[in-house]
Amino acid sequence: WSTPAETTPGRTMQYLIRDAAHPMHAVMGIASLENCAVQITCRDDYIGWNQKAFIDRVTSLPAVEARDEFRQLLDYLESGIDGINYEDLCTEATVTNPNDEDIQQLFDFANSAEQRRQVLLREALEDGIEDEEKSELGSISKKTEDALYQRKRADQLARLLSAKKAISDILNSDSFNEIWIDFCKSEAGNSAIRSALVAQKTKHIGSSLMELNVCGAVPPYNEILGGKLVALLATSPQVIHDYKERYADKASEIASRLKGEPVCRPADLVYVGTTSLYYVGSSQYNRLRIPGSVFNSNFDIVWKKLGMTIGFGTMHISKATTMSLTEATSDGYSRINHVFGEGASPKMRLLSMAIRELLESSNEDSKDFSKHAMSRIVYGCCLAENTFDYLMGKDPVPKYYTDVDDYVANTQK
């Protein structure tokens, strides 16, 4: 591999693929699956989680079908709201029938919680953290964790309630048929639809999808298409079974803290994605499929090319540079602490924040420094016949291409 594979927090499964015909069962290849990146545009378009793709599709439908789509969005929002403990944030009446003043109060509460978190981080840097005060998340105190999740709960609830109000208003309008297309094209409509789709995406991004971040064969098996075998085995019934076995009873860290109680989401793996090493292509995933006839099914397992990444990342930023940026932007406390819930990709956030402050540039300008201009091909593979309907909340359970309970025999096929 030309780029290093770094461990990330979250769910991970690692495999050795061995040669049963070899006397010592030699290792043929290696594979590692981990949590997907939150934002991959072409993947989200493919699944249906991107608001632009959603709006393009919905605006081509008759009004009666569009109304059903809006009701589905409202279901996403209600499910997202139900995942937040709001006892200390607002009343049940506010959640049932939110108004603009209630929503603004929640945003204000989120800002206050963030300011309190920053004060606590400064105090911790000056005075240290006693063991009994330390958060389970790692390098922050329990009080800082509480402030972090108070901010997250208030901010997310405000966005969900704002979207709920907007979509409820359009659904309850007597002139729905005349105004719904203009709503979809408006800034407020885009924001509300995006919030609803993000709520649905959040339910599945960490529990139903995995990224194949390491996949390859060991010499001499690479000469006989061993890499393709590893890529196919990453979609096997064995992996689906192992994933469910390992994570079915594991509570989600962030979801549990937002809800204030353990939250165990279904560990039903229905999609595996990956990216090529190079822009030009990847012979390892091209034309790679398992015909459905192997499993007496009409559904083929296919690695499909979904699009290209834009070429943003942090692999071109060295550890020394990262440490220098951290020191230069400390501002009396550590603003990025590499703990669950602070945000995705700590290194990317550090880079953007540091460049923005050191050069006094805009957020758009700071993005240029995180662009390594090495676009990659995005591949995806669906493991269930109803992958899209399951991920979009239209089907309650996945319909796998084969019997996962008999995973050993079906993987050997």
Side-chain angles (χ1 to χ4, degrees):
W1 287 269
S2 61
T3 55
E6 297 182 4
T7 57
T8 58
R11 299 182 175 188
T12 303
M13 299 202 303
Q14 298 174 325
Y15 289 92
L16 295 178
I17 292 83
R18 310 189 74 143
D19 185 354
H22 190 279
M24 303 301 291
H25 294 178
V27 173
M28 300 174 67
I30 59 176
S32 175
L33 295 102
E34 64 176 17
N35 281 133
C36 288
V38 174
Q39 186 64 38
I40 300 179
T41 302
C42 58
R43 178 204 64 201
D44 292 350
D45 286 344
Y46 182 58
I47 293 172
W49 286 336
N50 185 291
Q51 92 271 7
K52 184 180 183 303
F54 177 90
I55 291 170
D56 289 344
R57 177 177 64 82
V58 169
T59 50
S60 66
L61 299 175
V64 64
E65 294 182 28
R67 188 183 286 272
D68 290 337
E69 294 287 345
F70 275 87
R71 291 194 184 101
Q72 185 78 60
L73 291 177
L74 206 53
D75 288 342
Y76 298 159
L77 291 167
E78 294 290 3
S79 179
I81 292 167
D82 186 59
I84 297 175
N85 175 18
Y86 53 80
E87 289 182 356
D88 59 334
L89 302 178
C90 64
T91 65
E92 186 74 33
T94 296
V95 171
T96 303
N97 189 24
N99 58 47
D100 292 337
E101 184 179 350
D102 294 330
I103 293 166
Q104 186 57 51
Q105 285 179 353
L106 287 168
F107 279 126
D108 292 342
F109 187 97
N111 289 333
S112 298
E114 174 59 20
Q115 292 172 9
R116 187 165 62 257
R117 184 181 78 94
Q118 293 177 14
V119 170
L120 290 167
L121 286 170
R122 287 192 181 94
E123 291 176 351
L125 191 65
E126 295 170 359
D127 305 330
I129 305 172
E130 299 293 335
D131 288 341
E132 62 269 17
E133 298 176 348
K134 201 167 186 179
S135 163
E136 295 177 359
L137 297 177
S139 60
I140 60 175
S141 68
K142 184 67 174 65
K143 289 181 179 179
T144 306
E145 176 197 326
D146 292 341
L148 169 65
Y149 277 91
Q150 280 182 335
R151 188 260 294 168
K152 287 181 70 70
R153 286 189 293 116
D155 185 72
Q156 287 191 24
L157 185 60
R159 295 179 191 281
L160 291 171
L161 291 181
S162 178
K164 176 182 176 178
K165 181 180 183 299
I167 293 176
S168 296
D169 288 348
I170 197 82
L171 274 172
N172 295 329
S173 173
D174 294 334
S175 54
F176 175 86
N177 292 355
E178 290 76 38
I179 64 175
W180 70 273
I181 291 182
D182 288 338
F183 174 79
C184 288
K185 295 178 179 179
S186 69
E187 184 177 344
N190 263 259
S191 178
I193 292 169
R194 179 170 56 250
S195 293
L197 292 173
V198 167
Q200 178 64 14
K201 175 180 172 178
T202 301
K203 286 178 60 177
H204 288 286
I205 191 68
S207 58
S208 303
L209 290 75
M210 292 288 276
E211 188 80 2
L212 185 60
N213 65 317
V214 175
C215 176
V218 175
Y221 296 97
N222 59 323
E223 301 292 339
I224 55 172
L225 306 183
K228 286 184 176 287
L229 173 64
V230 178
L232 286 177
L233 285 171
T235 68
S236 67
Q238 175 82 52
V239 171
I240 297 171
H241 168 271
D242 291 348
Y243 184 76
K244 193 174 187 69
E245 187 78 8
R246 174 176 290 188
Y247 293 112
D249 299 324
K250 292 289 180 67
S252 170
E253 291 275 358
I254 296 178
S256 297
R257 283 175 166 80
L258 292 175
K259 182 67 174 175
E261 60 187 49
V263 175
C264 295
R265 290 181 171 146
D268 295 318
L269 185 63
V270 296
Y271 173 95
V272 175
T274 194
T275 53
S276 64
L277 287 177
Y278 307 107
Y279 171 85
V280 293
S282 174
S283 60
Q284 184 159 274
Y285 301 100
N286 288 345
R287 305 177 304 280
L288 196 57
R289 90 171 44 224
I290 304 174
S293 57
V294 173
F295 299 99
N296 299 317
S297 167
N298 295 322
F299 180 73
D300 295 349
I301 299 298
V302 185
W303 279 100
K304 292 183 179 180
K305 178 181 175 180
L306 306 184
M308 306 290 296
T309 63
I310 299 174
F312 285 92
T314 57
M315 67 179 186
H316 60 302
I317 307 298
S318 70
K319 290 184 178 179
T321 300
T322 302
M323 291 175 64
S324 297
L325 291 174
T326 302
E327 183 177 349
T329 58
S330 64
D331 195 27
Y333 69 100
S334 179
R335 283 184 273 182
I336 296 175
N337 298 278
H338 299 264
V339 298
F340 253 5
E342 270 194 338
S345 184
K347 193 174 179 182
M348 179 77 85
R349 286 185 288 121
L350 172 65
L351 175 64
S352 298
M353 179 187 69
I355 296 299
R356 196 165 58 243
E357 295 188 4
L358 291 174
L359 301 185
E360 297 182 352
S361 61
S362 67
N363 190 48
E364 288 300 316
D365 292 336
S366 68
K367 287 183 178 180
D368 292 338
F369 291 91
S370 60
K371 189 170 186 177
H372 47 60
M374 294 173 62
S375 294
R376 298 178 178 183
I377 302 172
V378 178
Y379 292 95
C381 183
C382 296
L383 309 183
E385 297 177 28
N386 63 340
T387 291
F388 302 126
D389 285 342
Y390 176 67
L391 294 178
M392 294 303 292
K394 296 178 181 179
D395 283 350
V397 294
K399 301 173 185 174
Y400 289 112
Y401 62 90
T402 187
D403 182 7
V404 178
D405 291 334
D406 195 11
Y407 62 94
V408 175
N410 285 325
T411 297
Q412 289 176 350
K413 286 185 179 182

